[in-house]
Amino acid sequence: MRLVRFEQDGSVRWGVLEGDSVRPVRTFQHEGPLELEARAIPLEALRLRAPVDPPRNIFCMGLNYLAHVEESPARQVPKAPVWFTKATTSLVGPDEDVVVDRELTSQLDWEVELAVVLGRGGRRIPASRALEYVFGYTVLNDLSARDLQFARGGQWFYGKSLDGLCPAGPVLVTADEIPDPQDLELWLRVNGRVRQHGFTRDMIFSVAEAIEDLSRGITLLPGDVIATGTPAGMGFGQDPPVFLEHGDVVEAEVSRIGVLRNRIRFEG
Ligand code: MG
C-alpha cells in the first residue's frame, strides 16, 4: 500500500493511493487493518501533507554512511549510532514550500534519507526481529542550517529543527512492499542537478540495528519516525561549499518510494 496524508475541510486525514486517486481511510491505526471509504478522490484535487504522524520528535541518525563521514567535519567513523532529533513542527509535505528566515541562516543544506515509520512499539527489540516492528518507509530531506549547527557548540538540534526543515513524503509505502530496506537507491537533485546518489546497503548501521540500538534504552512507540542518515554529497562538503538559495527546487528520491519535491523560499 502507498499511503498519503491530505487536508480536507480543515482536518488532516490518511488515504490509500490507488492510481491517480485516493481512498480515504476511516480510522487510521499503525497496527491492524485499515478500513477504507468507498469513494475515491482525484489525487490532483488534494493538498498532501507529510505522510507521517509521529507521537514525538523524529529520531535521526547522523554520520551513517562512510562517504558522508569522510566529507563531514567529524571525520571519525562512529562505533555506535549517533542520535539526534528534529522537532515535529519542522515537518512539511510534498510540493510544499520550505520557508526559511533569512536572518536565521545563510547556509541551508540538503540531506536525502530513508525514513522508517514504526507500526509497533517496544523496548529491547532485537535486530533479528526489528523489521517486524516497521509499518512503512518514506523519503525525508534532513534540511540543515549549517551555520546554526556549527556555531552553537556543535549541537545539531536547533539548526535541523527550524520550521520547514523536515520535508517528508510523497507517500508512505508499507513494509510488505519493501522487504529489504538495505536494497534501496537514493538521489538528491537541486534544480535538476544530481547532488547526492547512494545506496542504503552502504549504511554503517542498518535499519534493524538502529531499531535495536534505540530501543535498548528508549521505549519506542507506534508512529515513531527514524531518519537513517544521508549518503555523501551534502553542500557543506563541496569545495567551495554550496548552499540552497531562494527559488531552488530540491528533489529527494528513494527507489520504490518516490520523489519528494520542495521549493526553497527565503523570507525576511
Ligand atoms: Mg541527516
Side-chain angles (χ1 to χ4, degrees), residues 18-181:
E18 292 178 347
D20 291 333
S21 55
V22 173
R23 287 188 53 200
V25 173
R26 261 187 239 286
T27 312
F28 180 82
Q29 47 187 4
H30 285 100
E31 295 182 76
L34 299 178
E35 199 187 320
L36 304 185
E37 292 182 8
R39 70 195 173 111
I41 308 168
L43 178 63
E44 59 182 21
L46 296 175
R47 183 171 170 224
L48 296 186
R49 301 283 294 262
V52 293
D53 190 15
R56 55 181 161 186
N57 279 12
I58 295 150
F59 294 106
C60 304
M61 261 195 292
L63 307 170
N64 198 33
Y65 288 77
L66 197 57
H68 174 60
V69 175
E70 286 167 355
E71 69 176 357
S72 76
R75 292 280 160 95
Q76 212 152 36
V77 182
K79 292 188 172 65
V82 174
W83 293 110
F84 66 95
T85 71
K86 284 171 91 83
T88 55
T89 39
S90 64
L91 280 165
V92 293
D95 296 311
E96 208 174 322
D97 281 2
V98 172
V99 182
V100 187
D101 187 337
R102 208 184 287 278
E103 298 196 345
L104 276 173
T105 179
S106 59
Q107 296 190 352
L108 186 64
D109 204 347
W110 54 79
E111 290 187 3
V112 60
E113 308 199 6
L114 172 69
V116 181
V117 176
L118 293 189
R120 251 199 295 162
R123 177 103 195 261
R124 296 195 184 94
I125 301 165
S128 60
R129 297 198 57 197
L131 296 187
E132 296 169 22
Y133 288 72
V134 176
F135 179 81
Y137 301 92
T138 190
V139 184
L140 187 147
N141 188 353
D142 177 19
L143 290 171
S144 306
R146 300 297 182 204
D147 33 11
L148 291 177
Q149 187 179 334
F150 297 122
R152 301 199 180 199
Q155 55 78 34
W156 296 357
F157 175 69
Y158 188 53
K160 285 171 171 276
S161 279
L162 303 180
D163 286 5
L165 297 204
C166 192
V171 294
L172 175 60
V173 179
T174 48
D176 56 305
E177 295 193 14
I178 301 181
D180 183 3

Side-chain angles (χ1 to χ4, degrees), residues 186-204:
L186 313 89
W187 299 264
L188 186 131
R189 295 177 291 273
V190 180
N191 303 325
R193 177 174 171 183
V194 176
R195 290 293 193 171
Q196 290 184 287
H197 179 215
F199 299 88
T200 56
R201 62 169 180 259
D202 292 329
M203 285 181 190
I204 298 171

Side-chain angles (χ1 to χ4, degrees), residues 219-232:
T219 300
L220 297 181
L221 304 172
D224 266 336
V225 178
I226 302 173
T228 56
T230 198

